[in-house]
């Protein structure tokens, strides 16, 4: 990042909320966006997702194809979501007000909140388990509820501290995490190469009943990782100058997701070893425990380091955006710092209750996939809207709700645009009905395609068709496509008024 101002030291707490970032403060680059995305996914949580093909019974080779397919398709869908931040200078939930209405943007806020809590929890749990498990093998530290609780608390407090300091401190953390975690994962090649068998066959082969259900299910789990970033990209890209070429921004997003194949394939390869040497762990869906059981002793320290570094980077990218967004939902009550503290404390409470009182670890893993099913049609509607509007937005009118005002281009029907909402609600509901995650969740229509999970293709297609149909049958007001002349611009100004 080109940061030549002394007042922007890492020790300074970020004061910007969701209001439009001034042009003179936009000194980030697409490479910074790459680091934040990749750093947020370069962790044990992604390696756990990489183990799913083995859990579903696929061979190593089929697992590779499923992961690559899911990551590539997810990256292509995700890439345009990085454009809203530079265009509007705010996060994606606020930008969604252009297509859902300035009040309807709370849909994006709600989705980002659920996604952040789910992935923050999964990150803390997986990293904490790996850290304590590695310390047990390395230092003979007992693995008890107390030591696990201390590990979870350590991660959660460190993440919360970074998020309070804000964007630049988070970028610095991820700059370190990208290289350190990548090198440690690559070191795993030497740790597990002697035991790895690329011919691992799994329990379901091509041509057998259930193969395609397992393959598509594994691909959709991999696809959920890039899709999970959809609500958050604007949190970081809003610091990129608006004149930055759009192709460079989307390329940074795609490249970051392709780089996540490192932890994905690490998880897949090591899961095959666990399946052979310690199959009981696979049967119990305990990949992290199985990994520690088959690791050579000299790799325990790298495991602990990956846990610390990965837990920090993933947790910050999840929690930062939600605190930022909640401050815009309740602008008169919560600043960015206060909102981050509130969401952070609630998330920490959920982590401890979910782990020790309710045993929700597996449930949250399933819940995260279900959230993605609801987020995908929201992203599709925004991307179609971006294309239909030809990239035109009025950033000032997007802030109407934040300022407590009414009116403007995106007021529509009392702040709600029923075209976007009318496409998102049925698409999300129908998508949930088609979810089929073997052994986890099967929707009421999940078996309709012979056990194959077609939830994302269905929700993608339905959202596209319904939204385009609504736009055609009920055209949006002319002013959302940009003013024709100065008179139409001036005509909009009186519509803005202070809310009672």
């Amino acid at each position: 990042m080109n940061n030549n101002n002394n007042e922007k030291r890492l020790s300074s707490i970020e004061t910007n909320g969701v209001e439009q970032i001034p042009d003179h403060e936009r000194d980030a680059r697409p490479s910074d966006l790459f680091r934040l995305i990749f750093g947020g996914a370069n962790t044990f949580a992604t390696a756990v997702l990489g183990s799913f093909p083995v859990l579903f019974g696929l061979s190593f080779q089929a697992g590779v194809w499923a992961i690559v397919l899911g990551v590539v398709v997810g990256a292509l869908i995700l890439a345009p979501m990085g454009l809203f931040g530079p265009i509007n200078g705010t996060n994606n939930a606020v930008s969604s007000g252009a297509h859902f209405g300035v009040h309807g943007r709370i849909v994006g806020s709600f989705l980002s909140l659920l996604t952040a809590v789910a992935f923050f929890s999964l990150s803390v749990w997986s990293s904490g388990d790996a850290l304590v498990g590695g310390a047990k093998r390395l230092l003979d530290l007992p693995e008890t509820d107390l030591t696990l609780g201390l590990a979870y608390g350590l991660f959660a407090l460190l993440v919360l501290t970074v998020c309070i300091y804000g964007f630049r401190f988070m970028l610095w953390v991820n700059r370190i995490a990208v290289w350190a975690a990548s090198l440690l994962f690559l070191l795993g090649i030497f740790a597990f190469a002697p035991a790895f068998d690329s011919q691992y066959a799994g329990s379901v082969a091509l041509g057998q009943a259930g193969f395609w259900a397992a393959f598509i299910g594994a691909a959709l789990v991999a696809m959920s990782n890039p899709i999970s970033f959809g609500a958050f990209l604007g949190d970081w890209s809003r610091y990129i100058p608006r004149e930055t070429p759009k192709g460079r921004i989307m390329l940074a997003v795609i490249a970051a997701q392709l780089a996540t194949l490192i932890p994905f394939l690490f998880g897949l390869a090591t899961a095959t070893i666990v399946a052979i040497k310690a199959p009981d762990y696979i049967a119990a869906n305990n990949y992290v425990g199985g990994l520690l059981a088959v690791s050579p002793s000299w790799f325990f320290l790298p495991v602990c380091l990956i846990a610390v570094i990965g837990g920090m980077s993933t947790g910050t990218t999840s929690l930062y955006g939600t605190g930022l967004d909640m401050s815009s939902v309740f602008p008169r009550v919560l600043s960015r710092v206060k909102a981050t503290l509130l969401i952070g404390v609630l998330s920490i409470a959920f982590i401890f209750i979910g782990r020790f009182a309710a045993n929700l670890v597996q449930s949250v893993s399933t819940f995260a996939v279900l959230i993605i099913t609801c987020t995908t049609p929201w992203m599709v509607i925004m991307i179609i809207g971006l294309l239909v509007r030809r990239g035109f937005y009025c950033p000032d009118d997007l802030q109407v709700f934040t300022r407590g005002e009414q009116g403007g281009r995106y007021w529509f029907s009392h702040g709600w645009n029923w075209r976007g909402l009318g496409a998102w609600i049925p698409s999300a509901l129908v998508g949930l009905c088609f979810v089929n995650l073997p052994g986890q969740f099967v929707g009421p229509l999940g078996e309709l395609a012979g056990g194959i999970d077609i939830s994302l293709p269905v929700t993608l297609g339905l959202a596209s068709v319904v939204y385009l149909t609504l736009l055609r049958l009920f055209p949006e007001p002319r002013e959302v496509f940009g003013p024709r002349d100065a008179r139409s611009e001036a005509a909009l100004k009186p519509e803005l008024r202070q809310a009672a």
Side-chain angles (χ1 to χ4, degrees):
M1 169 177 288
N2 297 323
N3 185 0
N4 298 317
N5 299 320
N6 292 330
E7 67 270 17
K8 295 179 182 177
R9 296 188 302 268
L10 294 177
S11 58
S12 299
I13 295 179
E14 180 186 9
T15 57
N16 290 325
V18 294
E19 68 276 4
Q20 184 180 181
I21 301 297
D23 288 340
H24 70 274
E25 291 189 31
R26 297 195 191 187
D27 50 7
R29 297 170 296 183
S31 58
D32 295 318
L33 182 61
F34 170 91
R35 280 193 288 268
L36 284 166
I37 298 172
F38 181 37
N42 200 23
T43 178
F44 265 122
T46 304
V48 170
L49 294 179
S51 69
F52 269 73
V54 175
L55 297 179
F56 289 170
L58 294 176
S59 67
F60 172 75
Q61 295 180 5
V64 170
W65 285 110
I67 288 173
V68 170
L69 176 64
V71 170
V72 169
V73 173
L76 293 175
I77 296 174
L78 176 69
M81 297 300 293
L83 301 178
F84 292 97
I87 293 174
N88 297 318
T90 187
N91 69 346
N92 281 357
V94 173
S95 292
S96 73
H99 307 294
F100 292 86
V102 292
H103 288 161
R105 51 141 295 198
I106 64 173
V107 170
S109 300
F110 182 67
L111 290 173
S112 66
L113 173 63
L114 294 180
T115 304
V117 172
F119 279 85
F120 177 49
S121 301
L122 290 174
S123 173
V124 171
W125 285 331
S126 60
S127 297
D129 290 347
L131 177 62
V132 173
K136 177 182 179 181
R137 298 286 299 273
L138 187 65
L139 304 173
D140 201 25
L141 179 74
E143 186 173 336
T144 64
D145 287 350
L146 175 61
T147 55
L148 287 171
L150 290 174
Y152 297 155
L154 173 64
F155 280 124
L157 290 176
L158 287 175
V159 167
L160 184 57
T161 301
V162 173
C163 291
I164 289 173
Y165 275 90
F167 175 79
R168 288 177 174 81
F169 195 12
M170 184 174 68
L171 181 60
W172 178 78
V173 169
N174 278 273
R175 182 178 287 124
I176 296 174
V178 163
W179 293 108
S182 297
L183 290 174
L184 291 170
F185 274 124
L186 293 175
L187 185 63
I189 295 176
F190 300 98
F192 296 102
F196 173 64
D197 180 9
S198 63
Q199 300 303 313
Y200 172 78
S203 59
V204 182
L206 179 63
Q208 292 182 340
F211 171 82
W212 287 111
F215 181 87
I216 294 178
L220 292 178
V221 169
M223 184 177 170
S224 71
N225 198 56
I227 295 297
S228 69
F229 285 88
F232 301 115
L233 285 192
D235 304 337
W236 319 316
S237 64
R238 65 197 178 116
Y239 279 97
I240 297 176
R242 67 179 78 245
E243 64 272 10
T244 304
K246 294 179 174 57
R248 289 184 58 199
I249 297 173
M250 290 194 292
L251 183 61
V253 176
I254 294 173
Q257 292 302 326
L258 293 179
T260 64
L261 290 174
I262 294 174
F264 262 117
L265 296 180
F266 175 88
L268 174 64
T270 51
T272 63
I273 300 173
V274 175
I276 295 172
K277 291 191 170 186
D280 290 345
Y281 287 96
I282 294 296
N285 292 324
N286 184 5
Y287 162 74
V288 174
L291 176 68
L292 293 169
V294 302
S295 295
S297 57
W298 66 265
F299 194 65
F300 295 151
L301 179 59
V303 165
C304 294
L305 293 175
I306 292 174
V308 173
I309 296 169
M312 285 285 292
S313 58
T314 300
T316 53
T317 52
S318 297
L319 191 59
Y320 169 80
T322 303
L324 175 67
D325 198 53
M326 284 298 105
S327 68
S328 71
V329 176
F330 305 100
R332 299 182 182 181
V333 180
L334 298 174
S335 65
R336 186 196 67 82
V337 173
K338 290 180 180 178
T340 301
L341 278 170
L342 175 62
I343 299 300
V345 170
L346 292 176
S347 298
I348 292 171
F350 176 80
I351 287 170
F352 279 89
I353 294 173
R355 175 61 174 82
F356 297 113
N359 194 25
L360 294 176
V361 178
Q362 186 64 30
S363 299
V364 171
S365 300
T366 304
F367 186 51
V369 177
L370 300 182
I371 294 171
I372 300 307
T373 306
C374 296
T375 303
T376 303
W378 178 81
M379 292 170 57
V380 169
I381 291 167
M382 286 192 64
I383 294 170
I384 292 176
L386 174 70
L387 296 173
V388 171
R389 304 276 179 86
R390 297 181 179 179
F392 173 83
Y393 294 92
C394 180
D396 188 63
D397 283 359
L398 288 171
Q399 301 290 341
V400 165
F401 177 79
T402 306
R403 296 194 299 260
E405 298 174 342
Q406 298 178 1
R409 284 180 175 84
Y410 309 120
W411 186 246
F412 298 107
S413 299
H414 304 286
W416 304 88
N417 186 353
W418 49 268
R419 300 166 188 83
L421 292 169
W424 175 75
I425 293 173
S427 302
L429 291 176
V430 172
L432 290 174
C433 291
F434 278 94
V435 170
N436 189 326
L437 294 175
Q440 297 182 66
F441 176 87
V442 178
L445 301 177
E447 299 290 347
L448 200 62
I452 298 176
D453 190 323
I454 58 173
S455 57
L456 284 185
V458 167
T459 195
L460 280 168
L462 187 60
S464 302
V465 171
V466 174
Y467 187 50
L468 288 171
T469 300
L470 290 175
L471 290 179
R472 185 175 183 83
L473 295 178
F474 308 98
E476 293 180 314
R478 176 63 185 84
E479 58 264 22
V480 302
F481 298 94
R484 292 179 178 176
D485 51 38
R487 289 177 298 174
S488 61
E489 176 74 18
L492 291 171
K493 298 303 181 184
E495 295 181 9
L496 287 173
R497 57 189 183 277
Q498 191 71 24

